[in-house]
Amino acid sequence: MTIRITKERISVTNRLIKEQNSMTNRITKERSSVTNRLMKEQNQMTIRITKERISVTNRLIKEQNSMTNRITKERSSVTNRFMKEQNLMTNRMTKEQSLMRNRAMREQSSVND
C-alpha cells in the first residue's frame, strides 16, 4: 500500500513538473514573441521617424535654397537698376557738359567776330 501511494505521489509530482515545465515554456515563448513584436514595432517607428526627419530636412533645405535664389535675384535686379540709373545720370551729365562747351565755344566765337 505504501509503495502504491509512493508511486502515485511520484506520478503526480512528475505530471505537475511536466505541466509546470510546459507552462514555463509557453510563457517564455509568449514573452519572446511579445518582445520580438515590440522590437519590430520600435524599429519601424524609428525608421518612420528617421524618414520624416529626412523629409523635413530636405524640405527646409529646398525652402532655404529657394529663398537664397530669390534674394540673389532681387539683389542682382537692384544692382542692375542702380547701374542703369547711374549710367543714365552719367550720360545726361556728359550731354549737359557737351552742350555747355558748345554754347561757350559759340559765344566765344561770336565775341571773336
Side-chain angles (χ1 to χ4, degrees), residues 1-12:
M1 184 91 164
T2 306
I3 290 177
R4 205 182 74 203
I5 292 175
T6 303
K7 281 184 174 181
E8 186 63 30
R9 282 182 179 163
I10 289 173
S11 174
V12 167

Side-chain angles (χ1 to χ4, degrees), residues 40-86:
K40 252 186 192 172
E41 288 178 10
Q42 188 177 11
N43 285 339
Q44 287 174 345
M45 199 176 302
T46 301
I47 288 169
R48 198 171 56 245
I49 289 171
T50 302
K51 283 181 176 178
E52 184 63 24
R53 282 181 176 161
I54 288 171
S55 173
V56 167
T57 301
N58 286 339
R59 186 175 49 78
L60 288 172
I61 287 171
K62 269 186 180 175
E63 288 177 8
Q64 189 176 10
N65 285 339
S66 177
M67 201 176 301
T68 301
N69 288 340
R70 198 172 60 244
I71 289 171
T72 302
K73 282 181 180 176
E74 184 64 24
R75 281 182 179 161
S76 178
S77 173
V78 167
T79 301
N80 287 338
R81 193 178 75 235
F82 284 145
M83 291 289 284
K84 275 184 181 176
E85 288 176 6
Q86 190 175 5

Side-chain angles (χ1 to χ4, degrees), residues 18-34:
K18 265 186 179 174
E19 286 178 11
Q20 188 177 11
N21 284 339
S22 176
M23 198 177 303
T24 301
N25 287 340
R26 199 174 62 245
I27 290 171
T28 302
K29 281 181 179 178
E30 183 63 25
R31 279 183 180 160
S32 177
S33 172
V34 167

